[in-house]
Amino acid sequence: MSDITYGKVATFNTHPDASIPMESPLSVAFNTGSVPAATSGSRVLLKEQAFLGHLILRGGAIVLDEAVRKVLGISLPGQPLGLALDANGERSVQWLSPDEWLVIVPGGEELDIEQRLRDALGDAHYAIVDVSGGQTLVELSGEKARELLMKSTPYDVHPEAFPVGKGVTTVFAKANLILRRPTEERWELVLRRSFADYVYRWILDAGAEYAIGVEE
């Protein structure tokens, strides 16, 4: 881990040295629990996208939008609860609350992105917090993914109420997380590390009737 004094702010590279093995929030479940293999009969697929970069941005939308477009090439979502992705679907910005956004980028990019955003924002009133180590992202796909979600959350996941490009903070199996729909076929759960094992085991149980499979 290293730190960089950036203006009046000390930013930290939270990624360990490459020689140090990294364990995802689901590593215990994967190593000691059930990991059903994906098969041709799996109607729900689960995949953890571990070690991504997660940044929380806070500040005025106009100032942040200009900086985010300059650094990431993405405009802030224009609607509350909106989710915007880059052309490759690798980087995203989600509107969490009136002055709060979640940026997710490929792992290892977060420190550079944070520094470039600070450059672009200058003396504006804002906050950037790297929460990468405390969160993970789990993907659900397959023809029965929505049915599994209907078992797990009180939020209406019908396509008319939850179109592509929407994301909400909601209750999922008594845990709090962010539920997002980046594409027609895929849903994403952004959850705290402390909830990961519990939510994973819930999903396996809820998806058993759909022959759920885990992609590692």
Side-chain angles (χ1 to χ4, degrees), residues 122-165:
D123 294 329
H125 184 66
Y126 68 92
I128 306 176
V129 180
D130 184 348
V131 295
S132 307
Q135 298 189 165
T136 193
L137 187 150
V138 173
E139 294 182 355
L140 292 177
S141 59
E143 62 181 288
K144 292 298 183 179
R146 187 164 70 89
E147 279 77 357
L148 188 152
L149 294 174
M150 291 167 63
K151 294 183 180 184
S152 308
T153 177
Y155 202 92
D156 186 356
V157 293
H158 189 280
E160 292 183 0
F162 211 124
V164 172

Side-chain angles (χ1 to χ4, degrees), residues 67-91:
V68 169
R69 281 190 288 110
K70 179 179 180 180
V71 174
L72 293 173
I74 312 171
S75 294
L76 292 184
Q79 298 292 329
L81 308 180
L83 172 65
L85 286 79
D86 70 0
N88 297 321
E90 294 182 339
R91 298 162 187 83

